[in-house]
Amino acid sequence: MPLNAAESLQAGLAEHRAGNLAAAALHYCKTLESAPSNADALHLLGLLLSEQGEHGRAMALLSRAVELSPNLVYVANLGLALRRAGDLQGAIAAYREALKLNPSHSGTLGKLGCALIEAGEHTEAESVLLLAVMGDQRNPELCNALGHARASQQRFAEARLDFERALALDPGYEEAAANLAQALLHLGHAEAMKPDWDAARAYYEAASRHAASLAAAWYHRGLAATALQHPDEARDCYQRAISLDFNYAEAHNNLGHLLQAAGDTKAAIRAYELALAIRPGYVDAQYNLAITLQNSGRVSDAEQQYENLLIREAGHADARNNLGGIRLGQNRVVEAIAEFELALQNKPTHIDARWNLGLAHLGLGDFARGWPLYETRLEQPTFPRRDFDCPRWTGQPLTGRTLYVWAEQGLGDTIQFVRYLPLLTGAGARVILEVQPRLTPLLERFPGIVVRARGSEPVRADFHIPLLSLPGCFDVIPPPWFPVEIAPADLGGGNRKKVGLCWAGHPDHTKGRHRSISLKQLAPLAELPGFEFFSLQRGPQASETGTLTGSWRPLQVETEDGGIAELASIVAGLDLIITVDTMVAHMAGTAGKPVWTLLPFAADWRWMLDREDSPWYPSIRLFRQTTPGDWAFVVERVRDRLATHG
């Protein structure tokens, strides 16, 4: 028996609720065949067609239903259909019309609020949604929408409370949880900007709890843990972020930082390479990769990375400076200077670029440019800070004034530059010299100069100046100078020439390792007749003498904590000193003893470039590597020189 219109409508509604849309549509159409003006059938069929994307037919049916029965539900659902069809303003207008019929209807207020958010009208949306929530306080969707409106206005603290309320009403509400996590991230970012990393960390941790699959939450937890110096936690967070989103380039980059700091260079390089593979133009990752390659000795690879980076970002001052450092290490000093100058053009306050530029000019012997730039060392974070009650000396008259000169660098530097003190006393100054305690026995007998060990009680002075700033105050290189004659030690008789050897700098210093060799590498010298070799080596490398036989005599030179006068006496008793670039070279050169100094390919600035002599020490002869790391060639030259000239 055929259904009448009312029965057909009820059957269609039942099928609609069951999700059987085709059957529901058929029943609605049968209803309209017998009752074309049935507003309910028009309304329900219009909603069904809107769900299926047939927007034109849907809005025609809904508009006809509204025309026949302009009630709130029909008008609001016309707004819903308009919104689905992409007519946002039409939807907003329909919702406003519906609310004229019932201004406090929470459901329609909620729909209008969401449409206003979508239209960018966040302030009005908040007002509308606040009314909706007040009318239906147990509705989590309305709370979530209100939070969205407030978050869109950057009011994340209030939005957080709305999202938390939505979750309290419906703990399984995933959209609210995701929105809450985003609000917590923004709150964390605000704390990080202060910076208050403890507070930021708490927000990021909460974000990761509410949205455990949100890679950004774990990444920012890693940032906070890094800032708070919890590297293990930071590493775990970055790895979690990567596991959730392998294409998270920043997480790979920051993980590389941690791996590099932990000494896992290979893994760090791999992390940076992955970041660059994901984002080829990622400048920070490329810069970090270049630094890591450079520090691990892969200089040519680092050079290529810096060059590629600078093609992309020519104004990257740090990359310019580091590339200049590589050029300096290749003895391409003019090119290095060009890089340092470009770095300073882009960042005039770049301390390292000014410092390196000064070293480059000094290495070329351009003291007029070099010494003023050498003062940049005083601005470096690693420079020892000193506080004085008197001003820095900048050339004021010294007659009758007391000048406090303080040694600032290594023992060799102090020995090299005390030569400038007679110029100060000659200008009428009373000079107080502060030096390393080990040097006081050697220097305390300066005529007219008071020598004090570092760490002594402060004394009054009119001016102060660091020792290595003195060369920039005088346009001369004075001769090397010891305050007293050093009595030579009795090293025994015999006709063989006495040669002192020092082959290594301090093992804990990077530069010391760079300019050091092993005693075994000097073994060919022992094959020559007519010489007796004496070890002047201090520190752990001194034990290497036990591995050699022949005419070697290890001597008990000054101890780590002792004075240095004994070493000076031994040096004075030798015929020749062969040494790498250590304090021994400066001591022997100052004493006027013949010194053969073995230099790495890129030697310290004071030995300049491409010369075998030194303006600092007339008695020094320089033997340089011609290829980086090739000490065998240097030792062969020294051996030939000994064999032919003694």
Side-chain angles (χ1 to χ4, degrees), residues 154-175:
Q154 310 297 307
R155 289 160 52 197
F156 297 109
E158 296 169 81
R160 172 194 179 182
L161 298 177
D162 294 321
F163 297 136
E164 287 177 338
R165 185 176 178 185
L167 281 172
L169 293 168
D170 182 0
Y173 193 173
E174 293 183 1
E175 182 181 337

Side-chain angles (χ1 to χ4, degrees), residues 116-117 120-129 149 152-153 155:
L116 289 168
I117 291 173
E121 302 292 337
H122 304 301
T123 302
E124 185 182 359
E126 180 186 359
S127 299
V128 169
L129 288 165
S152 298
Q153 299 174 72
R155 289 160 52 197

Side-chain angles (χ1 to χ4, degrees), residues 132-469:
V133 170
M134 290 172 63
D136 186 0
Q137 298 183 17
R138 303 294 298 174
N139 189 322
E141 292 183 355
L142 293 177
C143 295
N144 179 64
L146 178 59
H148 191 175
R150 286 171 167 163
S152 298
Q153 299 174 72
Q154 310 297 307
R155 289 160 52 197
F156 297 109
E158 296 169 81
R160 172 194 179 182
L161 298 177
D162 294 321
F163 297 136
E164 287 177 338
R165 185 176 178 185
L167 281 172
L169 293 168
D170 182 0
Y173 193 173
E174 293 183 1
E175 182 181 337
N179 288 338
L180 174 58
Q182 290 294 339
L184 290 165
L185 282 179
H186 283 288
L187 292 170
H189 299 341
E191 296 298 332
M193 291 294 292
K194 293 181 181 179
D196 183 345
W197 284 105
D198 284 309
R201 181 190 191 188
Y203 282 121
Y204 295 146
E205 286 179 348
S208 67
R209 287 196 303 272
H210 287 288
S213 62
L214 182 62
W218 292 99
Y219 169 75
H220 286 94
R221 275 189 68 173
L223 285 182
T226 300
L228 293 169
Q229 298 183 2
H230 301 304
D232 292 340
E233 177 187 346
R235 184 187 63 248
D236 292 343
C237 289
Y238 292 138
Q239 289 174 336
R240 181 71 176 271
I242 290 167
S243 71
L244 293 167
D245 180 3
F246 187 77
N247 291 325
Y248 208 138
E250 292 88 352
H252 287 288
N253 178 58
N254 288 12
L255 178 60
H257 265 300
L258 294 175
L259 293 167
Q260 183 179 354
D264 194 345
T265 301
K266 289 184 179 179
I269 290 172
R270 177 60 178 159
Y272 296 136
E273 289 175 339
L274 282 171
L276 283 169
I278 294 164
R279 190 189 304 166
Y282 193 177
V283 169
D284 285 350
Q286 188 159 29
Y287 178 71
N288 292 333
L289 174 60
I291 288 179
T292 308
L293 291 168
Q294 185 175 1
N295 292 340
S296 63
R298 294 172 57 182
V299 176
S300 61
D301 292 334
E303 181 180 11
Q304 185 65 57
Q305 291 294 334
Y306 286 130
E307 290 174 345
N308 292 343
L309 186 158
L310 290 166
I311 291 171
R312 182 175 294 109
E313 190 172 320
H316 198 298
D318 289 336
R320 286 281 177 203
N321 174 66
N322 291 357
L323 181 58
I326 288 177
R327 300 278 189 260
L328 204 58
Q330 296 166 336
N331 284 341
R332 296 158 63 183
V333 181
V334 174
E335 295 173 62
I337 287 173
E339 296 295 344
F340 298 142
E341 288 177 340
L342 282 171
L344 289 168
Q345 286 179 21
N346 291 294
K347 187 178 179 182
T349 59
H350 200 296
I351 293 174
D352 288 340
R354 277 192 286 131
W355 165 250
N356 288 331
L357 181 60
L359 296 181
H361 282 303
L362 290 174
L364 290 176
D366 187 349
F367 297 137
R369 288 188 176 91
W371 288 127
L373 290 166
Y374 194 72
E375 291 298 288
T376 306
R377 74 193 188 282
L378 306 177
E379 303 173 41
Q380 293 179 315
T382 55
F383 189 83
R385 293 289 178 263
R386 300 293 300 273
D387 294 321
F388 294 94
D389 293 331
C390 56
R392 161 79 181 263
W393 182 58
T394 56
Q396 300 92 329
L398 288 174
T399 302
R401 302 293 188 93
T402 299
L403 178 61
Y404 195 90
V405 182
W406 47 286
E408 61 190 87
Q409 298 186 34
L411 300 177
D413 298 287
T414 301
I415 292 170
Q416 179 176 356
F417 290 104
V418 292
R419 67 181 71 204
Y420 283 91
L421 299 182
L423 298 181
L424 299 173
T425 56
R430 175 178 178 264
V431 175
I432 301 173
L433 173 64
E434 178 193 281
V435 298
Q436 300 90 334
R438 286 172 54 203
L439 287 179
T440 53
L442 187 65
L443 303 179
E444 62 188 357
R445 288 172 285 178
F446 265 116
I449 292 172
V450 177
V451 177
R452 296 165 49 82
R454 183 183 296 161
S456 303
E457 290 295 320
V459 296
R460 295 183 60 83
D462 297 295
F463 304 103
H464 78 91
I465 190 169
L467 178 62
L468 270 71
S469 291

